[in-house]
Every structure is written in structure tokens, then in C-alpha cells.
Amino acid sequence: MSTVVSLEKYIHNDLVRRVEELSGQDLLACYQCGECSAGCPAAFAMDLLPSQVIRLLQLGQVEEVLNSATIWFCAACQTCYARCPKGVDLSRIMEALRELAMERDGDTLKHTEIPKEELEAFPQQAIIAGFRKYTL
Ligand code: SF4
Ligand code: SF4
């Protein structure tokens, strides 16, 4: 994995600030101990480890993270949060990244676009789960 750091990709660029706003997390609190990656049950399927995600964000490389499969493999189990000595909640960061990826790709769903008959027929859990994944 090559990483290019430049003034244009300065650590606190607009996308990094959006991740911080949406997640409510302090990205610079992470000191790269790796405890999150060591305990993550989905790490085997990820192309970037959780600790690599946060390191890239610290370096302003948000697009690289948005293009990775990792943000979609995170199961929001919060094992990383429980293990993190700095209290960084990576599951909230992953959720913020999914939101940004969907915003970038225009991949969103409005409840007004779902036919009334389908709204009545679908299990409530499926509708709520869908909105967690497909709305901003
Ligand atoms: S456990 Fe916390 S401090 Fe350690 S690498 Fe992960 S996010 Fe950073
Ligand atoms: S919340 Fe996501 S990144 Fe953290 S341990 Fe669970 S699957 Fe891994």
C-alpha cells in the first residue's frame, strides 16, 4: 500500500472533517496500537485493517478508504471500541464512511419512493435495516 502525503491532501481536509462530524470521533486520538485490528472478527475479509483505515484518515486519504471494501465488511460489533485504549469508536467511523460513500455515489433511498403496498408488506425490521444502509 503506497501513501502519498501532500499539502493538497492535508490531514484536515474537508472530507476528514466530515468524517469527524458524522462520527463524533477524534481521529488523532488513535496512536496505532493495533488492538482494534487484532480483535476485529471481520478483519479476515477486509482489504484494509481497521487500524489502517484510521491511519489513512489521519493522513487525509479519505478517498482511498471510501474505495475499500472494509467499510462494507464492518459488522458494527464494537469489539474494536471495547479494546481501544483511547476510546476510539471505529464502528461509528465506519458508519460515517458508508454514509459518505453513498453520498458520493448518489446511492440513497427516499421513503417516499417505496410503494405503499410494499411498505405494508415488508417486515418492519427489513425496512429499518434498509434505511440504516441506504439513507443519509
Ligand atoms: S485500538 Fe484505538 S488506538 Fe489502537 S489502533 Fe485501534 S483505534 Fe487506534
Ligand atoms: S465494529 Fe467493525 S471494525 Fe470494529 S471490530 Fe467490529 S467489525 Fe471490526
Side-chain angles (χ1 to χ4, degrees), residues 46-57:
M46 294 173 168
D47 51 359
L48 289 174
L49 294 171
S51 54
Q52 290 176 319
V53 165
I54 198 160
R55 187 61 178 147
L56 285 167
L57 295 175

Side-chain angles (χ1 to χ4, degrees), residues 61-114:
Q61 309 285 298
V62 182
E63 281 295 336
E64 188 167 345
V65 177
L66 292 182
N67 291 332
S68 83
T70 287
I71 59 176
W72 305 105
F73 278 110
C74 169
C77 68
Q78 295 198 313
T79 302
C80 49
Y81 182 38
R83 292 172 63 101
C84 179
K86 299 301 296 282
V88 177
D89 189 344
L90 257 161
S91 68
R92 297 184 71 162
I93 293 171
M94 298 286 193
E95 176 70 8
L97 291 164
R98 287 192 292 269
E99 287 188 23
L100 284 180
M102 289 189 293
E103 186 178 275
R104 178 193 64 179
D105 300 340
D107 198 12
T108 58
L109 176 69
K110 293 188 176 69
H111 75 279
T112 51
E113 293 170 352
I114 304 175

Side-chain angles (χ1 to χ4, degrees), residues 3-72:
T3 300
V4 179
V5 181
S6 67
L7 283 178
E8 289 75 28
K9 292 187 174 183
Y10 180 63
I11 189 166
H12 255 152
N13 61 39
D14 288 346
L15 273 176
V16 171
R17 276 192 284 271
R18 290 279 330 270
V19 174
E20 289 177 330
E21 282 168 16
L22 288 168
S23 68
Q25 302 302 296
D26 177 6
L27 299 173
L28 294 181
C30 168
Y31 62 178
Q32 289 290 292
C33 67
E35 283 292 322
C36 50
S37 297
C40 175
F44 72 92
M46 294 173 168
D47 51 359
L48 289 174
L49 294 171
S51 54
Q52 290 176 319
V53 165
I54 198 160
R55 187 61 178 147
L56 285 167
L57 295 175
Q58 288 175 334
L59 295 171
Q61 309 285 298
V62 182
E63 281 295 336
E64 188 167 345
V65 177
L66 292 182
N67 291 332
S68 83
T70 287
I71 59 176
W72 305 105

